């Protein structure tokens, strides 16, 4: 039997990225009040087209047996990393919120939502990824002619990342 062709979701304009200062009591079910709390900052408008760079690795555990000539493997520890590159406008604080929010050492949560128009408010049932982070040093980039000023910044993952959390009212 042939599988049906699934409907795809365009990625342009459908990734929301917010910094939420927290605390978030239940990472698997964050409340709308926490997601929209004072101090929460929407960042996607600042992030460059290739500037959202989550990554992950998983170590391999060697599983050797005396009774076998083959070495087996088991999944090992996971490492998740997150880097952002965003526009930087030092002459206009109102247009530099990503840089001002993500000061080095600030701790909180990076919350992402895929597949829903970015400007749409959070709603109960939204599927989110929650990254507990501490902001690293922001590094200003020089991108040359015909470009804009940007900053690249490592966000250090400080706790378990929850993939596919569900927002609750």
């Amino acid at each position: 039997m042939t599988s049906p062709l699934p409907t795809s979701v365009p990625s342009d304009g459908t990734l929301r990225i917010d910094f939420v200062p927290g605390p978030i009591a239940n990472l698997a079910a964050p409340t709308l009040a926490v997601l929209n709390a004072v101090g929460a900052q929407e960042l996607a408008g600042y992030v460059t087209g290739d500037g959202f760079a989550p990554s992950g690795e998983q170590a391999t555990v060697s599983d050797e047996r005396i009774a076998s000539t083959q070495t087996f493997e088991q999944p090992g520890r996971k490492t998740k990393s997150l880097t952002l590159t965003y526009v930087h406008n030092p002459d206009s604080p109102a247009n530099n919120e990503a840089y001002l929010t993500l000061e080095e050492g600030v701790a909180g949560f990076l919350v992402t939502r895929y597949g829903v128009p970015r400007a749409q408010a959070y709603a109960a049932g939204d599927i989110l990824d929650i990254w507990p982070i501490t902001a690293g040093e922001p590094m200003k980039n020089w991108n040359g002619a015909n470009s804009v000023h940007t900053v690249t910044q490592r966000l250090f993952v400080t706790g378990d990342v929850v993939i596919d959390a569900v927002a609750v009212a």
Side-chain angles (χ1 to χ4, degrees):
M1 170 190 251
T2 304
S3 323
L5 250 140
T7 303
S8 60
V9 177
S11 59
D12 292 345
T14 63
L15 175 60
R16 182 168 175 155
I17 304 169
D18 287 62
F19 173 79
V20 175
I24 300 178
N26 183 352
L27 294 181
T31 65
L32 297 177
V34 167
L35 296 172
N36 297 308
V38 172
Q41 177 63 52
E42 199 274 329
L43 300 174
Y46 291 92
V47 178
T48 63
D50 61 354
F52 178 63
S55 64
E57 294 181 20
Q58 187 164 11
T60 302
V61 175
S62 181
D63 184 3
E64 296 181 6
R65 310 292 176 96
I66 201 166
S68 178
T69 59
Q70 182 175 341
T71 298
F72 306 111
E73 297 177 338
Q74 296 290 334
R77 291 182 179 259
K78 299 175 186 176
T79 302
K80 295 204 184 306
S81 300
L82 185 58
T83 301
L84 289 183
T85 300
Y86 51 88
V87 296
H88 176 51
N89 189 343
D91 289 337
S92 175
N95 290 300
N96 208 22
E97 291 171 320
Y99 184 79
L100 297 173
T101 298
L102 296 173
E103 290 182 358
E104 182 177 6
V106 76
F109 302 86
L110 202 75
V111 177
T112 59
R113 178 184 69 187
Y114 293 80
V116 176
R118 175 182 69 91
Q120 187 172 312
Y122 286 119
D126 280 351
I127 298 171
L128 312 167
D129 294 347
I130 313 284
W131 297 73
I133 59 100
T134 296
E137 180 182 15
M139 299 300 297
K140 296 176 184 175
N141 302 314
W142 170 248
N143 298 317
N146 297 314
S147 63
V148 298
H149 288 287
T150 61
V151 167
T152 299
Q153 189 169 12
R154 173 86 183 267
L155 303 178
F156 292 92
V157 179
T158 59
D160 290 333
V161 176
V162 177
I163 304 297
D164 296 335
V166 179
V168 296

